[in-house]
Amino acid sequence: MIKEETIRSIPEPTLRRVPSYCQVLLGLAEQGQEYVSCTQLSEALHIDPTLIRKDIALAGATGRPKVGYLTRDLHRQLENFLGWNNARDAILVGAGSLGSALMGYKAFDQYGVNIVMAFDTDPEKVGRKIHDVPVLPLTRMPNLLERMKVHLGILTVPAEYAQTVGELMVMNGILAIWNFAPLALKVPEGIIVQNEDLFSSLGILSSKLAAVLKNEDDHFKEGER
Amino acid sequence: MIKEETIRSIPEPTLRRVPSYCQVLLGLAEQGQEYVSCTQLSEALHIDPTLIRKDIALAGATGRPKVGYLTRDLHRQLENFLGWNNARDAILVGAGSLGSALMGYKAFDQYGVNIVMAFDTDPEKVGRKIHDVPVLPLTRMPNLLERMKVHLGILTVPAEYAQTVGELMVMNGILAIWNFAPLALKVPEGIIVQNEDLFSSLGILSSKLAAVLKNEDDHFKEGER
DNA sequence: TAGATTGTTAATCGATTAACAATC
DNA sequence: TAGATTGTTAATCGATTAACAATC
């Protein structure tokens, strides 16, 4: 009998850090470094080495005291852990400038994702191929999704259509949505949404900068007195 | 004498939630709703109402028991808190497909950011305007940055140039970098970097989906026995 | 008034960091 | 061996949630 605990999900922060380990590991492996230590990863990424060790442990990889981890093995194990080893098909809706830019990034393959089709309502775009990805009319999506068993959807339509299109995706078997529309998509329980709200992201950066500049300013004034 | 504590910086999670409050508030204000309660925001965003109240308190806004907050006032105060009320100039380096897509989003104005110039090394792009933003040769960046006192930079160059261009930005007065290259930019102490690594973002989503599908699969097998 | 809501203090929870034994 | 490093347990820290008095 499997204990409930076994299904405890991976902490979000770990999931966000592991890709950066992969990236550094790949670089080191290419430089021909056979073994790698947490200390080394820590220095490259400015992350506490203990934390890295815990993340690695969560991924199920083990190392050898004094020696470290086998660089290539660790890299492979972390990719495995993320499920990036065998590519997952995805569809994209909204072949505008952002959508097209995304389709252009062939590197997605490396990250376990493969955009197989795009959909749009604009007759100008439909029927063409953008970066090798065929653009089809949105009306054909339900039928095709059902046949192809795709579960991952990328949503790059204007904000006002996002909710409707999102619902259409979910109705046809999409279980995870990568949402670029600047709004909180309402989805049924169990559907995974990752909001990639670029506007607020930049806004947050800008507000951090404002805080820094304000601080400097205050210090300056303080010095004046 | 100002106490040190006064400068305690805003928690990152708060900074990430506040934009979503703004968005909902704007919607409600446009619908003509005069007052809004945390309960209402909570329902719209699936965030605990106490948490929302704390975030609002951090932003310095106050409401009235039983009544709530004045919708428009709260919206304005939160925007103020984020520093989105008066636009900050930014430059963009790398006028490729992603960079162009970003320049096309006029909505950045609303989020307190205004892209004033772009730089690229491609002679095909230099001299043109993309979505009203002039594209200039990268060699002119140092001079122009110094003159214009811009502190916010958007980095949309291919990964292999990111570190070099990032350093060039920092050398010329950029204090905050919005980095789209899939690597951890090395910057001096005090420079703010926000990594918008789209590849790993999608990768994380994909791995969450993998976990869900695996779970379902396990349950299925369990049922079989 | 009664009930809803704010604002705040205390409790809980989870993630990070520190400490340290085991190991090569 | 000595020193570095893993793996793990305990302590700390910060963010979230619960509890509740104040208020309209």
Side-chain angles (χ1 to χ4, degrees), chain B residues 5-45:
Chain B
E5 290 183 20
T6 326
I7 331 183
R8 198 205 291 102
S9 70
I10 308 300
E12 178 84 23
T14 296
L15 232 35
R16 276 206 304 269
R17 284 185 298 261
V18 172
S20 68
Y21 307 157
C22 281
Q23 173 215 311
V24 173
L25 288 171
L26 188 60
L28 293 174
E30 276 168 3
Q31 281 168 38
Q33 198 182 297
E34 203 176 351
Y35 285 92
V36 64
S37 73
C38 288
T39 321
Q40 198 177 4
L41 287 173
S42 168
E43 275 159 16
L45 296 162

Side-chain angles (χ1 to χ4, degrees), chain B residues 41-55:
Chain B
L41 287 173
S42 168
E43 275 159 16
L45 296 162
H46 301 110
I47 297 174
D48 189 287
T50 310
L51 192 50
I52 299 181
R53 220 167 283 131
K54 284 214 163 160
D55 288 338

Side-chain angles (χ1 to χ4, degrees), chain A residues 87-161:
Chain A
R88 169 180 308 288
D89 286 345
I91 55 126
L92 181 146
V93 183
S97 53
L98 181 60
S100 303
L102 292 178
M103 286 186 262
Y105 285 107
K106 285 292 143 215
F108 279 129
D109 293 24
Q110 263 183 262
Y111 296 78
V113 172
N114 177 32
I115 304 177
V116 288
M117 293 179 286
F119 297 96
D120 207 300
T121 50
D122 182 351
E124 289 269 315
K125 284 165 191 154
V126 164
R128 285 177 41 204
K129 277 193 172 194
I130 297 181
H131 299 293
D132 289 335
V133 179
V135 181
L136 306 169
L138 187 57
T139 48
R140 292 194 51 201
M141 184 174 81
N143 198 310
L144 280 164
L145 271 187
E146 202 190 340
R147 261 199 283 164
M148 300 197 57
K149 309 267 181 267
V150 178
H151 301 298
L152 182 56
I154 304 172
L155 191 51
T156 47
V157 299
E160 56 268 42
Y161 304 119

Side-chain angles (χ1 to χ4, degrees), chain A residues 197-210:
Chain A
D197 185 346
L198 297 178
F199 301 103
S200 13
S201 241
L202 179 55
I204 289 165
L205 181 62
S206 163
S207 78
K208 280 187 195 167
L209 176 57

Side-chain angles (χ1 to χ4, degrees), chain B residues 78-100:
Chain B
L78 293 184
E79 278 203 338
N80 235 314
F81 169 66
L82 290 168
W84 291 2
N85 42 334
N86 45 5
R88 168 179 310 287
D89 286 345
I91 56 124
L92 181 147
V93 184
S97 54
L98 181 60
S100 304

